[in-house]
Each structure stands twice: as structure tokens, then as C-alpha cells.
Amino acid sequence: MRILLTGASGFIGSHLLQALLAEGHHVACAVRRTRTSSDPRLAFIHADFAQDTGKSAWLARIRDIDVVINTVGIFRESGAQTFARLHTEAPRALFAACAESHEVQMVIQLSALGADEGADTRYHLSKKAADDYLAMLPLRAYIVQPSLVYGPEGASSKAFRTLASMPLGLRLGSAPQLVQPIHIDDLVAAILGLLRHRLPLPSGAGTALRVPLVGPRAMPFTDYLQALRTAMGMGRQRVLALPGSVARGLARCAPLLPGGLLDEDALRMLERGNAADPAMTTRLIGHAPREVGEFIASPGAERSRARLGWLLPVLRLSIAAVWILTAIVSFGLYPVQDSYALLGRTGIPPALQPLMLYGAASCDLLLGLGTLFLGRRRRLWLAQLGLIGFYTVVIAIRLPEFLLHPYGPLTKNLPMLAAIWLLYELEEH
């Protein structure tokens, strides 16, 4: 078949793309950043869900297309990437074009479990709006609604493995918080099953079928984390139960931290639960979906990566604290005249001592803030390595008593340098 796949560069879309090609389908990927392909069955066309909210933008793209699969989705809004644009307006325009086409035979819409009449978050409501519009069109459609999707490289999966590996877990409130995680391979197999078998549509209920895709059993979210922890070869995790009011306060503050998945909407979705009957999933893939205990393929490697997920931020925060506290001390907590005396012994003339003292303190402060807030830090780590190395050499030569001091104020730079080098090596390019 000739398939238009949107969101092909995303987590689910990229897995689905490889499976579609393996099945022998011809796939046109609608992506923001196009590239060339040596595979005659694969093509890339430019599309931007943040901009393409009119039906006319999609009519040419679906020419000679048999099936449209939409996997575009975000969990957090950012700039022009909003729920309204990406989840509702652009998909509606795409679906309207499909309904007008004489060639498109079927649409598969990747929605989410919970995008139903009980939806009360912007994420679920925006998905539901597109789903309901698609269900009204005279077009064969399957609205796929997965629970949490697990894949080794998935952003949420990495976050959950990190949470599972920590010494202490948190239970946010007293609701059951049921989830029913499905592995990415089972999700993809189920979508391929829809292409092969085309489940019958409910009689008298339109031309769309909502398809829940879930793992074999529902479990509380903390049990899901424990199952991941066990699969990584780790023991029982201690869990601290937080009252609902404290959990909601934490959810309000969490978005201020970079990279977090928790916010007020996420907490409401978690409290509501995320579970369904696995019968349709089993029917589509031909066997029961895999258990959470089978999600982890390499326990040792995943355990190490999961621990680094929280140990590296702790290390980064401690290094930031060293720079910031050093700046605060240099700005006046340590007697200024004593600082000038030390600078004088290193060869700095009196006229330049204030500039050197407060300039170095300001530099330390900027390095600390950069460590906290910069997204890319490779050059920052190199600057810190160079500065600490310079300080160490100068002080060792000019102030040798610090090199021989029993508290080791200078030799303690060695583990600091090693820690920064580790962060440099592990920083993504």
C-alpha cells in the first residue's frame, strides 16, 4: 500500500516507519525536515503541523495515497508547538482532505487512552477534538488509543526507568493511579494488524472504531516503576506517600525544572487512571502483549543508564553550588583585605587587585548559573576545566602552603576536575 505517515521522526512514528517498510509498503513521510532516501519505497515531504491547518495544504500530499497514519503528538507545549495546532487543527485539516479524496481508503489516528467523554486536560481534550471530528467523516478510520508506551529510547520510558532506579520513590496522592503499559513493538504490531485485517466497524455507529491498545494487565503506577526496577535487577524500592495537597503543590512547581514530565495536567491524568481491556490488542497482534517484566532487554546496561539519569544531575547541581558559593564568598564573606593579600602574593599589583577579585567572582557566578541553566554545556565544561587547571597551577607555584595543607584545599581540585571531565564526556553533542 501507499501510506502517508505523519510524525515519522518521532518515537512511535520512527518505529512504525521501519515496520511499514519491512512489510513492503511504500511510505511518504510528512516531516518538518526533509531528507533524501536511497530506498525507492521511501519518500520525504515537507509538512509542519504548527502551520498546515488548512485542508488545501494537505490535498496535494495525499494524492496517490491509500492510507494515512497520523502519529504527531506532544506532551508539553513549546512556542508554536501547541496542543490546539498539533493535536486538533492540523489533524482536522488532514482528515478533511482525506474525506474529499477518492484514493484514501483508511485513516489511522494515534490518539491516547483517556481522550474520551471524561477528558479534562488540555492534552486529552485536544486529542478528543480531532478524534471526534474524524469519527464524523464518511471515511473508514481507526482511532488508536494506547496507554503508556514503553520503548528503550522513549523519553518517558527513560524518565520512568530513572525514577525506578532511585533509592526512594514517591506516591503522589491516594488515587489508585492505574496504568497499563504497552511495549512499542506490540503497539506497532497492532497497527500493522489494523492494516492487514481491518477490524469490522460497529454497525450503526459510523465509520470509525476506537481501538484501545494496552498491556496485559493494569497496575498502580508505583507498581509499574517497581516492575521496571525488578527487571533491571534491583531490589524493592522504598516509597514515600505524599498527601494529595502536597502532590498538587509539587506538580505546580515541577514545570519550572527542565526536562520534567510532571505538571498539574499530568497528575490529573495519572489520578484518573489509564487502563482498558487488552482483548483487542491481543486480537490484533495474535498473542498476548508482553508483560512489563519483559520490557528490559539488557538489565545491567539499563540499570547503569537509569542511575546516571539522576546521579548526573546531582553531580551537576553540586558543581554549580561550588561555583556559586565560591563567588558569594569572594564577593565579601571572606575578608576582602585577606583576598587582596593572596592576590598580591600571586603577583597581582594593588591597582588591579579589586578588578581581579570581583572579576573572578563574577566569572565563578556565571559558570555556576551556566551549569544550572544552559542546555548545552560541552564548551562550559571545557572552560571550567581550563580555569580550575589554571588556578591549580598558579596557586601551587605562588602559594605552595595550600598544596601542602593537611585539609587539601588544592588537591581537592583533582576529583573536581575528574567530575567535570566525566560530565563533558557524557554530554550529548
Side-chain angles (χ1 to χ4, degrees), residues 112-344:
L113 203 59
D116 51 32
E117 297 305 321
D120 65 351
T121 63
R122 292 180 304 139
Y123 174 83
H124 276 153
L125 289 169
S126 62
K127 284 286 191 180
K128 179 179 182 298
D131 298 349
D132 291 348
Y133 180 79
L134 176 59
M136 292 171 54
L137 297 174
L139 184 68
R140 173 179 285 270
Y142 296 102
I143 300 167
V144 174
Q145 297 178 312
S147 182
L148 297 180
V149 181
Y150 179 90
E153 74 282 15
S156 63
S157 302
K158 291 178 182 177
F160 295 152
R161 288 197 304 272
T162 295
L163 292 175
S165 71
M166 297 177 73
L168 180 68
L170 296 177
R171 179 178 177 82
L172 304 175
S174 58
Q177 300 176 352
L178 294 179
V179 296
Q180 203 162 343
I182 181 171
H183 194 279
I184 182 65
D185 292 344
D186 288 337
L187 173 64
V188 168
I191 294 175
L192 293 180
L194 285 173
L195 291 174
R196 294 192 198 103
H197 308 304
R198 302 196 179 188
L199 292 178
L201 302 174
S203 58
T207 57
L209 177 67
R210 286 174 167 82
V211 183
L213 295 180
V214 295
R217 59 191 179 90
M219 63 186 72
F221 181 68
T222 51
D223 286 4
Y224 174 42
L225 295 183
Q226 180 58 53
L228 290 176
R229 185 178 175 90
T230 301
M232 289 188 290
M234 304 177 71
R236 195 76 188 170
Q237 184 182 53
R238 295 180 181 273
V239 177
L240 174 63
L242 298 180
S245 58
V246 175
R248 287 187 289 274
L250 182 62
R252 282 192 291 270
C253 297
L256 300 175
L257 301 175
L261 294 176
L262 180 66
D263 59 18
E264 291 181 89
D265 279 1
L267 180 59
R268 290 215 305 277
M269 289 189 284
L270 184 62
E271 289 177 337
R272 183 186 171 198
N274 202 252
D277 187 345
M280 197 169 291
T281 309
T282 300
R283 177 180 176 183
L284 285 170
I285 65 178
H287 56 79
R290 71 194 69 188
E291 295 277 354
V292 174
E294 302 173 50
F295 285 2
I296 306 294
S298 303
E302 296 298 346
R303 181 170 63 247
S304 297
R305 281 192 285 265
R307 284 172 168 162
L308 286 175
W310 59 272
L311 287 171
L312 290 179
V314 169
L315 182 58
R316 180 166 59 86
L317 290 174
S318 66
I319 289 173
V322 169
W323 288 113
I324 292 172
L325 290 173
T326 299
I328 293 172
V329 169
S330 298
F331 275 126
L333 289 183
Y334 188 79
V336 173
Q337 293 304 317
D338 290 350
S339 294
Y340 288 162
L342 291 173
L343 288 172

Side-chain angles (χ1 to χ4, degrees), residues 358-378:
Y358 295 112
S362 298
C363 180
D364 291 347
L365 180 60
L366 289 175
L367 289 173
L369 294 176
T371 301
L372 287 177
F373 298 113
L374 285 181
R376 296 185 177 183
R377 308 181 189 89
R378 285 180 64 83

Side-chain angles (χ1 to χ4, degrees), residues 31-81:
V31 293
R32 283 187 294 165
R33 296 180 179 86
T34 60
R35 59 183 186 270
T36 58
S37 171
S38 58
D39 189 335
R41 297 170 302 151
L42 176 62
F44 292 90
I45 59 175
H46 174 74
D48 187 347
F49 267 49
Q51 304 294 329
D52 300 336
T53 56
K55 178 177 66 175
S56 59
W58 292 100
L59 287 172
R61 294 168 180 157
I62 61 172
R63 190 176 295 123
D64 299 324
I65 292 296
D66 301 314
V67 175
V68 170
I69 305 177
N70 175 38
T71 69
V72 171
I74 55 172
F75 191 71
R76 281 270 173 83
E77 293 179 310
S78 176
Q81 307 288 304

